[in-house]
Amino acid sequence: MAKVFEHPIYVTRPLLPDITDVTARIKTVWDSKQLTNFGAQHNELSDKLKVYLEVDHLSMFNNGTLALLLGLKALALTGEVITTPFTFPATVQALDWNNLTPVFCDIDPVTFNIDADKIEALITEKTSAILGVHVFGNPCDVEKIQAIADKHGLKVIYDGAHAFGSKINGIPISSFGDMTMFSFHATKLFNTIEGGALVYQDPALVKKLDLLRNFGIANSEEVVLSGLNAKLNEVQAGVGLEVLKVMDEERTKRHAVKKVYEQHLAAIEGIRVLTTLEDRASSYQYFVIEIDEAKFGKSRDDVHRELQKHNVFARKYFYPLCSDFDWYSDLPSARPENLPNGQKAVQQVLAMPYYGALSTDSVAAICGIIQELHVTQKSLSQL
Ligand code: T4K
């Protein structure tokens, strides 16, 4: 019998730098008495991230959702934006809050990213952009998407919430498209507790985004546009600076965890491990499997429930499909029959517990629960 874990095992745990280092960093903030509004920690983190991500232009925000929302605003998009239904609600909600209509495009059944071959058929005279999501850190087909955008004069924005550190042929993911958003939420490998950033190609956006994230205040005399408060504060930035120091070590550990999972799951019929394509570098953000009920003998929901019984909290990222939200029920592109791969993924995909501190024994035990479920089902079906 597979063991029940004494303590809950979650889908992830935040990467926590040594508390002594964090305390020292916060002491510096305290001593400075500058707690927010673009102080020394903010500016140091911004500079370091530009180097790490190999970009010229980067703006930080208090979370990834507001980063994306304000990024879309800065690009002055109108009408319709072609996007994926298989994502976290924040992606499409950022469109909603800009009065942009999502046009849902089905996904690729292997990568779970927007299917670039299906985009062009959805373009109308109202389309202003393509919003792709590098789901689970696996890059979209950026070359094909850019070619379509260039042909039709569209902007390309990527929700790279999961893709911090992803690369294509050694080229950082942020080099593709007009703009990429990263999330620095506590559940992300690189985190500032809550936080996010935009990287972009157009230098004119620096000033615009500075205004948008700070009430549109240009100087003590002028408010020039209607903005929001979306600033990353000094404690968040300070935590980020400490996380940055331990991030590569965490990546190495996650690589090892991934190998153990792969080794244990490889032979189980009906389980597919989502892998990164040969030429792409992983962000090591999620470890994801797809469960084919016909071959495995039990559904993704059965596996999810069985793991919970053993105190293991894998997550149905992403569920439900965004196109199934009530408020999109009038959109033709949201109809389930137009999104067969998305509808399938949302029933089959499971994000497994994944973080550097997860022990080899725990991973083996988690895989044991899945293996046992499969074997039990197989023997039942042979009776
Ligand atoms: N676009 C995409 C594609 C995204 O996935 C996201 C966020 C966004 C945009 C928006 O970015 P942000 O505005 O969030 O920066 C979590 C995260 O809150 C969310 O950031 C993330 N995607 C999403 C995929 O996962 P939940 O609702 O699953 O979080 P929660 O609280 O259930 O946490 C998951 C598990 O992590 C918990 O069971 C335990 C563990 N945990 C969590 C927190 C917050 C900890 O151990 N410690 C913690 O402090 O959304």
Side-chain angles (χ1 to χ4, degrees):
M1 278 283 283
K3 81 163 184 178
V4 175
F5 283 88
E6 190 185 342
H7 301 290
I9 304 282
Y10 295 111
V11 69
T12 194
R13 289 315 245 170
L15 176 53
L16 301 172
D18 196 302
I19 188 66
T20 322
D21 297 334
V22 175
T23 313
R25 182 69 71 168
I26 294 175
K27 168 107 178 38
T28 315
V29 174
W30 249 232
D31 291 345
S32 77
K33 298 184 177 58
Q34 173 93 33
L35 303 187
T36 186
N37 291 11
F38 319 113
Q41 305 293 317
H42 175 280
N43 298 338
E44 186 182 338
L45 181 62
S46 181
D47 289 345
K48 291 217 159 105
L49 288 180
K50 279 186 200 167
V51 174
Y52 192 89
L53 294 168
E54 302 175 50
V55 293
D56 292 329
H57 312 300
L58 176 144
S59 308
M60 298 195 296
F61 298 81
N62 56 355
N63 59 59
T65 307
L66 281 175
L68 185 59
L69 193 154
L70 293 176
L72 297 170
K73 180 91 177 162
L75 290 170
L77 303 178
T78 55
E80 298 174 352
V81 174
I82 298 173
T83 193
T84 171
F86 191 66
T87 184
F88 195 65
T91 314
V92 292
Q93 288 168 349
L95 292 172
D96 294 344
W97 280 79
N98 276 289
N99 290 321
L100 294 163
T101 306
V103 173
F104 293 107
C105 177
D106 205 8
I107 59 168
D108 178 283
V110 176
T111 62
F112 304 126
N113 286 327
I114 191 166
D115 185 343
D117 289 330
K118 297 193 175 136
I119 293 175
E120 215 162 357
L122 298 169
I123 296 173
T124 70
E125 69 285 356
K126 291 187 194 151
T127 311
S128 60
I130 301 165
L131 170 56
V133 179
H134 302 304
V135 175
F136 307 129
N138 234 342
C140 292
D141 191 340
V142 292
E143 294 88 357
K144 216 174 253 178
I145 291 174
Q146 196 57 54
I148 297 166
D150 291 345
K151 184 170 158 198
H152 296 273
L154 306 175
K155 294 279 187 215
V156 178
I157 304 103
Y158 288 110
D159 177 335
H162 306 173
F164 190 90
S166 295
K167 290 186 178 178
I168 302 178
N169 276 325
I171 303 168
I173 199 67
S174 40
S175 315
F176 302 98
D178 294 283
M179 179 179 273
T180 301
M181 177 276 273
F182 295 107
S183 163
F184 303 157
H185 183 261
T187 54
K188 301 297 181 292
L189 194 154
F190 173 70
N191 83 87
T192 58
I193 304 177
E194 291 270 6
L198 290 174
V199 299
Y200 40 91
Q201 322 301 342
D202 180 2
L205 292 177
V206 178
K207 183 76 195 145
K208 213 166 174 184
L209 288 165
D210 279 351
L211 292 169
L212 282 168
R213 67 184 173 175
N214 191 27
F215 316 98
I217 295 173
N219 53 56
S220 57
E221 306 292 321
E222 290 170 292
V223 178
V224 295
L225 54 77
S226 187
L228 283 175
N229 179 357
K231 292 163 277 144
L232 186 89
N233 70 46
E234 286 295 278
V235 174
Q236 287 172 292
V239 168
L241 283 163
E242 293 306 322
V243 173
L244 211 48
K245 291 183 192 162
V246 292
M247 202 175 53
D248 288 340
E249 190 188 331
E250 172 71 6
R251 280 216 164 85
T252 307
K253 288 184 188 160
R254 288 190 185 199
H255 181 74
V257 173
K258 182 168 170 273
K259 291 282 154 221
V260 182
Y261 262 125
E262 284 170 352
Q263 189 190 322
H264 286 276
L265 294 175
I268 307 181
E269 200 187 353
I271 302 275
R272 177 173 79 91
V273 171
L274 180 67
T275 48
T276 311
L277 298 176
E278 268 307 271
D279 61 343
R280 329 232 135 165
S282 169
S283 62
Y284 293 106
Q285 181 56 58
Y286 292 102
F287 184 88
V288 174
I289 61 172
E290 185 181 25
I291 299 151
D292 179 342
E293 185 176 356
K295 292 188 185 145
F296 181 74
K298 289 277 186 183
S299 70
R300 183 277 312 272
D301 287 354
D302 292 330
V303 176
H304 185 235
R305 267 191 298 271
E306 188 66 17
L307 288 169
Q308 279 188 355
K309 281 191 212 154
H310 290 80
N311 223 1
V312 176
F313 298 90
R315 291 295 289 265
K316 296 194 261 177
Y317 291 142
F318 303 102
Y319 186 90
L321 204 61
C322 291
S323 49
D324 287 339
F325 295 161
D326 281 353
W327 60 96
Y328 297 136
S329 58
D330 289 340
L331 286 184
S333 71
R335 287 188 202 130
E337 64 269 28
N338 293 328
L339 306 164
N341 295 333
Q343 291 292 344
K344 192 169 150 216
V346 87
Q347 297 300 333
Q348 300 201 156
V349 171
L350 195 61
M352 301 298 291
Y354 190 51
Y355 45 95
L358 194 62
S359 71
T360 302
D361 285 353
S362 298
V363 177
I366 294 166
C367 297
I369 300 166
I370 298 176
Q371 172 75 38
E372 204 170 281
L373 193 64
H374 175 58
V375 171
T376 315
Q377 182 57 30
K378 213 169 168 183
S379 31
L380 278 177
S381 58
Q382 281 163 359
L383 285 179

